[in-house]
Structures are given as C-alpha cells and as structure tokens.
Amino acid sequence: DRLTSIIVDKNNPKYDSRYDCNAIIETETNELIAGCKNTIIPDNVTSIGIAAFEECSSITSITIPNGVTIIKERVFNLCTSLKSITIGNSVTRIPNHAFSGCVSLTDITIPNSVTSIGNYTFYDCSALTDITIPDRVTNIGIKAFGNCSRLTSITIPNNVTTIGYDAFKGCTGVKKLIIEEGNNTLTLGYDGSDKGLFSDCRLETLYLERDFSYKTDSYYIYSPFYSIKTLKRLSIGNSVTSIVNEEFSGCSKLETIYIGKSIETIGDKAFSECDNITE
C-alpha cells in the first residue's frame, strides 16, 4: 500500500508502463491492471482493471482521463487516504465496491455519461458531504451509499427506475430528499425488515414526485417512509396517483402536507400516528 513507483521492462512483450506512468498496463488491451500512489493514467488507457488500486492507502487524488470507458469492480476499494477523484466523461458505469471504504473521499463528480451505480459503490464513504446523481442514471445498487453519514441531501433523478435495498442505510445526515418526476414507476428494494428504505435518513423535508413500487416476495412490506420520526414537511407532486397503506405511518413530527391533484387512492392508515399535522 506504500508503493510509489512501478517500472515495466521495455522489452516485456505483454505489459508496459508507458510515459513513465508508474503503472502496469496490458499492452494489447490498453487496460491498466495495477497502479500506485504516483500513477498518472495515460490518455490512451481505455479500461482500469479489477482492484487496480485496491488498498492503496497512500493515494490522495487521481484523474481518470476521457479515454477510459470502463472501470472495473473494487478499483479504489479501501483507498483510505483518497480525497478527490475526477472521472472522465466516457465512463458509463460505476461498478460494485468501486469506492467502498474510501473514508477520506470528499470530492467526486460523477459524469453525465454514467447510467448505472453498482452495489456498495460508495459504501462507508463517511466523509462525503455532497454528491450529484446524473440524470441518465437508471439503477442505484444495494447499499450504494450505505454509511455515507455526512451526506445532507439526496436527489433521485427522473430516469432512475430501480434502487436496491439499503441503498441509503446509515445515511444519518440526510435531511432533504427529492424524488424527481419521471415517466417510469420507481422500483424500491426491500430487505424484509421492519424498516423502510430511508429509515436511517433523518429526513425533515420530502418531495415525492413519482409513484413507486416494491421488489419483494415478502407478504408484508413497509413503506420507504414508514415511521421517519424527523419528517416535518411533505410534498406529494401532481404526477403521483396513489398513497400506499401506512406510507407515512408513524411520522410523528409531520406538520405540513401538500397532496397533488392526481391522487386517486389513499391507502389504509397512510397517516396513522401523525399526530402533529397542522396543515
């Protein structure tokens, strides 16, 4: 994890470290398969291999150039000193465990080219305070942002169709959630517990602009907003058509509700134990 220099012999027929990049690159495929603290990823690298920088605890920042189209699983897993990263605009998927355990990460911009965020992608990124999920993202994986305890707000853009269970488990700093209006129903994962998907978020304000459903085989399921004791303000947008059973049950501090004009059904006990509603 303290490696600072990598040099491949110039006569090696299979690998190289072109432009003194301090990395091992597979010559035929242009895939960077191993890096270190001082790696500078060359512009002609097209992919970064599985766990290429895993547990490189001394690396603090890195730039992924626009020529890279693929980054593979666990690429920066447990890079505990990594503070900032720039991802080029050709990457379409942030894979499983890509940045999990990067406890110092504070600065990352996900490019608009990304359409999928994998499982555990930012798990335990406990220093991350702000992140923007690009508009083209359609899938957010299981525990993708788990234990990102310093995040303060989350916006789910309009093209997201699936969110894995526990995607925001441990996000205790999140006070504001916006689920944007979209053309598709949002499918939310469920782990079989008696807590909702956003139960760990200390939400105070919620803008719900889209219908949602659950992906589960369980007989009884809990709303993602079930019993959020901190929720005070709720706005249900004009594109939402139904409020499910017990959807906001137990939200005991809820004071203000706006219900949009397209609501057709309100489920049983949708607002039970919401004793502080005033408007």
Side-chain angles (χ1 to χ4, degrees), residues 24-45:
I24 300 174
I25 299 170
E26 190 173 51
T27 305
E28 182 178 358
T29 64
N30 290 317
E31 178 171 291
L32 189 152
I33 63 172
C36 66
K37 177 183 178 180
N38 293 325
T39 295
I40 299 175
I41 303 173
D43 290 339
N44 53 9
V45 165

Side-chain angles (χ1 to χ4, degrees), residues 204-265:
E204 295 181 2
T205 303
L206 169 62
Y207 293 91
L208 181 61
E209 305 289 340
R210 195 176 355 162
D211 285 316
F212 62 86
S213 65
Y214 293 97
K215 186 177 181 180
T216 178
D217 296 325
S218 175
Y219 173 74
Y220 190 83
I221 59 177
Y222 287 83
S223 159
F225 312 111
Y226 175 80
S227 196
I228 298 180
K229 303 295 186 183
T230 53
L231 187 64
K232 295 180 180 180
R233 295 169 291 276
L234 169 64
S235 176
I236 300 174
N238 291 328
S239 295
V240 179
T241 60
S242 65
I243 300 172
V244 302
N245 295 347
E246 298 188 61
E247 184 165 348
F248 300 99
S249 176
C251 295
S252 55
K253 290 188 177 181
L254 190 59
E255 298 173 353
T256 305
I257 305 172
Y258 171 82
I259 298 177
K261 63 184 179 181
S262 299
I263 290 291
E264 299 171 356
T265 59

